[in-house]
Amino acid sequence: QVQLQESGPGLVKPSQTLSLTCTVSDGSINSGGYYWSWIRQHPGKGLEWIGHIYNSGSTYYNPSLKSRVTISADTSKNQFSLKLSSVTAADTAVYYCARVSVDWLLFDYWGQGTLVTVSS
Amino acid sequence: QSALTQPASVSGSPGQSITISCTGTSSDVGGYSYVSWYQQHPGKAPKLMIYDVSNRPSGVSNRFSGSKSGNTASLTISGLQAEDDADYYCSSYTTSSTVVFGGGTKLTVV
């Protein structure tokens, strides 16, 4: 069973870059057939898709975040990463990584989520 | 892209049936069968309940069913149980090759 685990700083200062990594176990991010995605959830709010990467190369981003987001992959470590630049308090959220089936566009495996707070 | 529109809350008694709607546009819900539904309990990651409008993953109760008409998808839960008390989100693929979620619906089993 595929497992995903987010890691990274829980506190980021305003205007800095938020960086998170998702480590995937029991499944290769390079095997094809899946997007590897980031989603966030503001406190008490709904889910917001941030973007995903396919085959360690092609990336797709939420238009509202596109100018600040970079998703990349490190196949040697079986990890993919999120960078969100110029953060503000509005970027405070629980960040999830997830696997997405290319065939059905369904999010079938999720990490547990990690809370990132933007504050000075 | 705008979030898909879901009712903020619905409620039902044990044993009853409820339906949650998810309204989009022809560029997302209406244009594709890639509509999924997720259940989220407090402090937990979302769990896939329905995919491709009406398909259930292995292990999901057949009390959960999905449908779509035009730009609106629906999730129906029959025989409500206390454990169904949770937040529910729909998602859809879009013509921009992106994904959009609904705003979420809080289901209360009273």
Side-chain angles (χ1 to χ4, degrees):
Chain A
Q1 168 148 321
V2 176
Q3 297 183 61
L4 298 93
Q5 177 69 57
E6 306 89 352
S7 60
L11 181 64
V12 181
K13 289 182 167 47
S15 79
Q16 293 190 341
T17 296
L18 178 160
S19 296
L20 294 174
T21 296
C22 182
T23 301
V24 180
S25 306
D26 296 322
S28 171
I29 66 170
N30 213 25
S31 61
Y34 300 100
Y35 298 109
W36 301 92
S37 189
W38 289 97
I39 305 99
R40 70 180 182 180
Q41 186 168 33
H42 295 103
K45 302 297 184 182
L47 302 171
E48 180 180 27
W49 178 75
I50 298 171
H52 51 225
I53 188 167
Y54 177 70
N55 226 11
S56 305
S58 302
T59 51
Y60 305 83
Y61 299 131
N62 186 324
S64 67
L65 297 170
K66 187 174 184 177
S67 63
R68 298 194 292 131
V69 173
T70 302
I71 296 176
S72 60
D74 185 338
T75 55
S76 67
K77 296 181 179 178
N78 215 34
Q79 297 174 331
F80 62 104
S81 298
L82 168 70
K83 290 189 185 299
L84 181 65
S85 64
S86 305
V87 297
T88 69
D91 294 308
T92 293
V94 173
Y95 286 77
Y96 293 98
C97 58
R99 189 182 82 166
V100 184
S101 162
V102 169
D103 289 339
W104 305 108
L105 269 298
L106 57 86
F107 295 72
D108 56 358
Y109 289 99
W110 296 67
Q112 64 186 25
T114 187
L115 174 63
V116 179
T117 301
V118 178
S119 175
S120 55
Chain B
Q1 58 190 21
S2 299
L4 305 175
T5 301
Q6 298 181 230
S9 62
V10 298
S11 63
S13 300
Q16 288 186 333
S17 295
I18 62 94
T19 297
I20 299 171
S21 62
C22 169
T23 301
T25 69
S26 58
S27 296
D28 38 63
V29 174
Y32 301 93
S33 63
Y34 300 133
V35 176
S36 301
W37 289 90
Y38 301 86
Q39 176 192 66
Q40 186 181 36
H41 287 109
K44 300 294 187 181
K47 174 187 174 184
L48 177 67
M49 305 302 285
I50 295 286
Y51 69 96
D52 198 38
V53 174
S54 59
N55 291 293
R56 274 188 314 277
S58 174
V60 171
S61 170
N62 59 10
R63 297 185 299 105
F64 291 82
S65 62
S67 63
K68 190 182 83 165
S69 177
N71 296 337
T72 299
S74 298
L75 172 71
T76 298
I77 309 174
S78 60
L80 274 178
Q81 299 180 0
E83 68 212 47
D84 301 332
D85 194 299
D87 294 328
Y88 291 85
Y89 296 91
C90 59
S91 74
S92 176
Y93 184 66
T94 82
T95 52
S96 302
S97 300
T98 62
V99 174
V100 61
F101 284 98
T105 298
K106 180 174 180 54
L107 168 62
T108 301
V109 181
V110 296

